[in-house]
Amino acid sequence: RVLIYQNGTLLGIPFLDIRDRVTSGGEKGLLSIVFHPDYPRNRRFFLNYTNRRPNLKSFIVEYQVSVGNPNLALREEKIVMQFDQPFDNHNGGQLKFGPDGYLYIGTGDGGSAGDPMRNGQNRQSLLGKILRIDVDHGTGYVIPPGNPFMDGSGVPEIWAYGFRNPWRFSFDRLNGRLLVGDVGQNDYEEIDLIRRGENYGWNIMEGTHCYPPGTGCETAGLILPIAEYAHDLGVSVTGGYVYRGRQYPALTGTYIFGDFGSSRIWGLQETPLGNWKRTELLVSGLSISSFGEDEEGELYVVGYEGSLRRLRTLNAPGEEYLQVLVPSAAKTDRFVSSLTILNRDAVTQPVIIRSRSPEGSLTGSLNLELAPGGLFRSEDILALLQLPSGSFGPLILEAPHWGSISATSEIRSNRGTAGFFPGQPGSGGSREKIIAEVEDSGERGTKGTHRSNLGINNTGTLTATVEVSLVDSEGSVAGAATYGVPPGGMVQVNQIVRTLRKAGGSQIDHGYLRLVSNQPVYAWASKIDNETDDPSMEIGIGDELSGTGTQLMVPSISGTGRFKSLLAVINREDTPNQIRLVARAASGAVMARVSRTIPPKGVFRSTDILSEMGVLSESFGSLLVESLSEKLLSVVSEVHSAQGTAGFFPAVTTASAALRSYLPEIVDTGDASNPGTYRTNVGINNLGALPARVKLDVFDSSGMRLGSTTLEVPVDGLIQINRVVASILGRRVQSVVYLAISSDQPIHAWASKIDNDTDDPSVLISIP
């Protein structure tokens, strides 16, 4: 039976009752239900159940809901797929629609013990697999494009194989990654991160161990689980979900799963090294048969005895507002700061904007309300806060639903050039920060030279003591100084390279900065063109998963007549680090590969990386930076024109890619050489396993959709849409609008806002 729990009450009439069609008991029964992504319009949903017709089979079937009663399904059944089950156990049973719109099916190895029929490794069998089918075309289903064994080397329905009993799996709603809980045999339970066409080992291995134990096995080509536990902790894993809700920020990005036998619930968190750390969260007292996720990303636990519980944390925030930090805003005779705030929520949100002095004292406050999907924009936020010329300092935004408020500040000179400050979680920061590219190569007015100013923000309640070191290419400290940053305040150190090299007696004019603090801080640098005084903003890289790792991608590298790309790769380890650079064209094709060795704590720096790699001029695309030593790296790229102006691309990881993201400031107000106007180019990188189908929606400040377009981005490729507003709408729009981006594959999106008078770009990274 499928029952409905509505408004606090379990309805007496089942949504669907098919007890006459289901063989239940043990591991058999009605095992899963999933609603079509377009269910509100097409009324279709799907079930996975077992029945003896005449022998035991798994059935994947389709039903529809009544037109007149949304709480009652029709009885007519359409069989989509059926296959024999040789034994009563290991039926799998999970159904999920992926972000690509296709139906994924988990099947067990057929049962008994030890997979006697070796179905897990048999690519000609549907058993022991994750299947992927298209239920929107043909009779029953068709094979979707991209399935890995369509060449006849396996059953074409297979997406991945080598499973014993993948009882529960789910897709991360942020980036689309597929995680599976695969039930073990005698000794180990495992969690797998699924990639297209890969072999997950059963029955050659149980978890990370050979099966049977002590026999030795050939592990080449097998994908090991991201986590396992032995049977002293539990006996049957129940896969769960990556938490993407709003109520418990401390759990964000944590994969929550449990065990049927021991009732334990754990959290898995990914580290920058690509490992996963398991933490026991609680012993629930339940026989955990499943987890659930609601529309807002909150999680539920299903007890086999018939209970449904909501998961919450004991240290959940109350009604107090949560915070977003904008690192710096300025109002001088040369600079003003704009502020854009986007409400991504479906409800109206109150927002408080507070400005602070560098000392941390409150200098101004503004209350506003943002409509669902609405945009707030101020061209001079400090003037709106009634602050005089000469004011500067951080901004704090407070809102009840911080996870759906996105803030971006843009600092502009009176020449019109710009640099962007993305909003940061007010409770975040790191005790160590890296700023990969700082320089002090000349005096003000000197063409082709730059200087860097350092900023440090403290969002804590105590003074932060921060040691700042200038590190050269060999990893040696060329100078150091210690700064105290007041609570809620900031410190700005002008010409930081010159300041530190004087302290250390060094003559170097560039390097990287390493900041070590007694409490979490944020850090940033403005690299200033000495000829024009134009700044470009670089955000410090901490130990966050999105900013460091062993494999990172720079979204765009240019080697054209107008633009070159500088690359800085920091070795964050105390031993040498061998790296490989792979430059790709916009099509995803590899243009060049090179390897370099970076000394301990050293830096690899190139002012024209594509030229150094031997790539032809007029090329652009992405750059993969990989540690062959599997050691931590921090990477940043700077695109600069012949005039010397620049914009920074922080490197990204696969885990930081997203299925949906926003670019909160998109403009198209004029043509090239037109002073005081801007245009925006948008870039999209595909980090998925298949071509990405991407939709771009343009919204105005009230949240009204103005127009949309769709496109396809090749695997490992890059698409750039010039003058994106005019491209989508067919016209210029004088006011600021924003762009919502959705994809069926994980993508990274960015925008270059270009000053029409100078053609100078500033880079804006999308917000997931």
Side-chain angles (χ1 to χ4, degrees):
R1 292 181 299 163
V2 180
L3 307 178
I4 295 178
Y5 186 76
Q6 182 173 302
N7 299 327
T9 302
L10 188 67
L11 301 189
I13 300 176
F15 177 73
L16 180 67
D17 187 341
I18 55 169
R19 283 177 286 182
D20 58 334
R21 299 176 184 177
V22 175
T23 297
S24 62
E27 297 181 21
K28 304 178 295 298
L30 173 54
L31 302 179
S32 187
I33 179 173
V34 67
F35 293 87
H36 191 280
D38 200 26
Y39 175 77
R41 282 184 286 271
N42 64 28
R43 303 180 292 116
R44 301 167 67 197
F45 65 95
F46 298 81
L47 305 177
N48 186 329
Y49 67 79
T50 51
N51 193 298
R52 299 191 185 277
R53 300 185 191 172
N55 56 302
L56 188 66
K57 294 176 181 286
S58 283
F59 285 85
I60 315 300
V61 297
E62 177 183 336
Y63 285 85
Q64 288 193 335
V65 71
S66 166
V67 175
N69 185 352
N71 288 344
L72 188 65
L74 302 176
R75 284 275 300 171
E76 182 181 356
E77 176 183 275
K78 174 184 175 183
I79 297 175
V80 176
M81 175 189 288
Q82 58 180 302
F83 45 88
D84 290 339
Q85 291 287 355
F87 300 95
D88 283 359
N89 58 342
H90 300 183
N91 298 304
Q94 179 78 67
L95 299 178
K96 284 285 184 183
F97 279 96
D100 53 14
Y102 299 123
L103 182 61
Y104 289 72
I105 305 164
T107 69
D109 64 7
S112 189
D115 192 10
M117 304 177 72
R118 291 192 59 81
N119 287 318
Q121 291 298 308
N122 180 8
R123 296 208 302 250
Q124 301 303 321
S125 169
L126 294 175
L127 299 176
K129 311 296 190 296
I130 302 294
L131 310 178
R132 176 179 181 257
I133 62 174
D134 178 354
V135 294
D136 291 329
H137 301 90
T139 302
Y141 70 92
V142 298
I143 305 301
N147 274 19
F149 303 115
M150 297 174 67
D151 60 357
S153 59
V155 177
E157 289 89 345
I158 296 174
W159 183 252
Y161 66 104
F163 300 100
R164 183 176 179 272
N165 193 27
W167 169 238
R168 288 294 184 241
F169 63 79
S170 66
F171 292 91
D172 185 337
R173 62 164 58 188
L174 176 71
N175 52 38
R177 294 199 294 184
L178 175 57
L179 290 101
V180 171
D182 193 19
V183 180
Q185 180 68 48
N186 298 322
D187 298 306
Y188 297 99
E189 306 297 304
E190 69 181 74
I191 301 294
D192 296 301
L193 179 61
I194 305 305
R195 299 199 296 264
R196 171 184 179 271
E198 298 288 8
N199 181 354
Y200 289 84
W202 177 253
N203 66 351
I204 300 171
M205 302 186 76
E206 181 184 9
T208 61
H209 309 267
C210 291
Y211 181 83
T215 58
C217 57
E218 177 56 55
T219 62
L222 305 183
I223 304 300
L224 298 180
I226 60 173
E228 69 172 5
Y229 60 93
H231 279 189
D232 58 340
L233 294 177
V235 296
S236 181
V237 66
T238 300
Y241 291 84
V242 176
Y243 181 76
R244 297 296 179 188
R246 297 186 311 204
Q247 295 192 27
Y248 313 114
L251 289 179
T252 299
T254 302
Y255 178 69
I256 308 293
F257 69 102
D259 188 89
F260 179 83
S262 70
S263 85
R264 286 180 166 93
I265 294 177
W266 292 279
L268 274 184
Q269 290 185 311
E270 191 173 8
T271 72
L273 283 172
N275 303 317
W276 294 74
K277 178 183 177 183
R278 188 185 77 236
T279 302
E280 184 174 304
L281 302 179
L282 77 155
V283 178
S284 66
L286 304 172
S287 297
I288 303 168
S289 59
S290 194
F291 288 84
E293 183 185 39
D294 68 20
E295 291 175 328
E296 294 189 344
E298 303 304 327
L299 298 187
Y300 298 78
V301 184
V302 181
Y304 186 66
E305 78 287 354
S307 67
L308 179 64
R309 314 289 181 97
R310 190 160 122 182
L311 194 68
R312 64 182 180 89
T313 69
L314 293 178
N315 60 344
E319 295 300 320
E320 72 271 16
Y321 280 34
L322 298 170
Q323 297 181 339
V324 173
L325 166 73
V326 175
S328 183
K331 181 175 177 57
T332 70
D333 58 349
R334 257 191 59 72
F335 294 106
V336 295
S337 292
S338 69
L339 180 66
T340 302
I341 310 173
L342 173 63
N343 177 15
R344 297 183 284 118
D345 209 336
V347 298
T348 297
Q349 287 215 60
V351 179
I352 305 172
I353 305 171
R354 303 187 195 276
S355 60
R356 295 188 176 274
S357 70
E359 293 74 36
S361 60
L362 183 66
T363 56
S365 180
L366 177 68
N367 290 21
L368 55 95
E369 284 198 348
L370 279 178
L375 192 75
F376 166 83
R377 168 79 175 177
S378 171
E379 293 293 333
D380 186 349
I381 184 60
L382 293 189
L384 187 63
L385 290 163
Q386 300 183 341
L387 298 182
S389 181
S391 300
F392 79 101
L395 299 176
I396 294 289
L397 280 59
E398 297 180 341
H401 292 168
W402 70 275
S404 54
I405 287 289
S406 302
T408 301
S409 177
E410 177 190 11
I411 186 168
R412 301 191 314 279
S413 79
N414 52 22
R415 302 189 184 196
T417 55
F420 286 99
F421 277 114
Q424 308 287 329
S427 59
S430 302
R431 294 178 184 270
E432 180 184 87
K433 287 285 187 181
I434 297 292
I435 296 180
E437 169 61 18
V438 289
E439 185 175 346
D440 198 345
S441 55
E443 303 295 337
R444 180 170 291 179
T446 305
K447 183 177 182 180
T449 66
H450 299 83
R451 65 188 190 276
S452 294
N453 297 342
L454 168 69
I456 309 172
N457 293 88
N458 176 15
T459 58
T461 58
L462 300 174
T463 298
T465 302
V466 185
E467 183 182 39
V468 182
S469 302
L470 175 65
V471 186
D472 66 17
S473 60
E474 298 301 314
S476 300
V477 175
T482 299
Y483 300 94
V485 188
M490 60 174 278
V491 164
Q492 181 170 311
V493 185
N494 295 337
Q495 295 183 305
I496 182 64
V497 175
R498 182 173 305 189
T499 300
L500 295 180
R501 76 186 182 199
K502 284 182 179 178
S506 170
Q507 299 300 312
I508 69 170
D509 61 9
H510 65 266
Y512 76 88
L513 299 182
R514 180 171 179 258
L515 289 75
V516 178
S517 174
N518 66 335
Q519 64 187 57
V521 294
Y522 287 103
W524 46 275
S526 53
K527 184 174 178 182
I528 303 169
D529 187 318
N530 279 323
E531 181 183 16
T532 64
D533 275 357
D534 297 336
S536 293
M537 305 306 168
E538 179 187 358
I539 301 299
I541 303 167
D543 55 7
E544 303 87 358
L545 178 63
S546 60
T548 190
T550 60
Q551 188 179 83
L552 301 117
M553 185 194 77
V554 177
S556 182
I557 295 289
S558 298
T560 69
R562 257 192 60 68
F563 293 105
K564 308 296 180 188
S565 288
L566 177 148
L567 180 71
V569 183
I570 311 299
N571 175 13
R572 299 189 71 157
E573 307 282 2
D574 292 321
T575 55
N577 202 337
Q578 186 179 13
I579 64 169
R580 176 170 57 200
L581 309 176
V582 181
R584 295 186 182 274
S587 65
V590 173
M591 295 190 290
R593 291 186 177 92
V594 300
S595 296
R596 296 288 187 271
T597 299
I598 310 178
K601 298 294 187 183
V603 57
F604 165 73
R605 184 177 188 264
S606 172
T607 57
D608 185 356
I609 184 60
L610 286 185
S611 177
E612 182 165 336
M613 294 179 71
V615 176
L616 297 175
S617 62
E618 305 306 313
S619 299
F620 80 99
S622 65
L623 183 75
L624 179 70
V625 183
E626 181 179 13
S627 169
L628 301 180
S629 311
E630 295 188 346
K631 297 175 182 177
L632 285 178
L633 300 171
S634 291
V635 180
V636 73
S637 176
E638 176 193 13
V639 60
H640 53 96
S641 74
Q643 286 84 1
T645 56
F648 283 98
F649 276 107
V652 297
T653 64
T654 302
S656 67
L659 298 174
R660 286 171 290 277
S661 59
Y662 296 82
L663 286 163
E665 182 182 338
I666 304 295
V667 297
D668 197 350
T669 59
D671 297 312
S673 303
N674 189 353
T677 65
Y678 297 86
R679 65 190 189 275
T680 303
N681 298 343
V682 166
I684 300 172
N685 299 84
N686 178 11
L687 284 76
L690 298 170
R693 294 176 291 181
V694 183
K695 183 182 180 186
L696 308 178
D697 289 295
V698 177
F699 290 87
D700 68 11
S701 60
S702 69
M704 178 180 294
R705 189 171 65 87
L706 302 178
S708 65
T709 191
T710 57
L711 48 85
E712 184 172 281
V713 186
V715 177
D716 295 321
L718 162 65
I719 279 186
Q720 181 169 309
I721 308 102
N722 294 338
R723 293 192 54 179
V724 65
V725 177
S727 174
I728 295 175
L729 302 182
R731 67 185 191 279
R732 288 199 290 264
V733 175
Q734 296 303 312
S735 60
V736 173
V737 295
Y738 70 89
L739 197 65
I741 305 166
S742 58
S743 173
D744 64 352
Q745 296 288 305
I747 58 169
H748 185 74
W750 47 273
S752 51
K753 183 178 176 183
I754 302 169
D755 186 321
N756 282 321
D757 186 26
T758 64
D759 274 358
D760 296 336
S762 290
V763 176
L764 174 63
I765 303 300
S766 68
I767 301 165

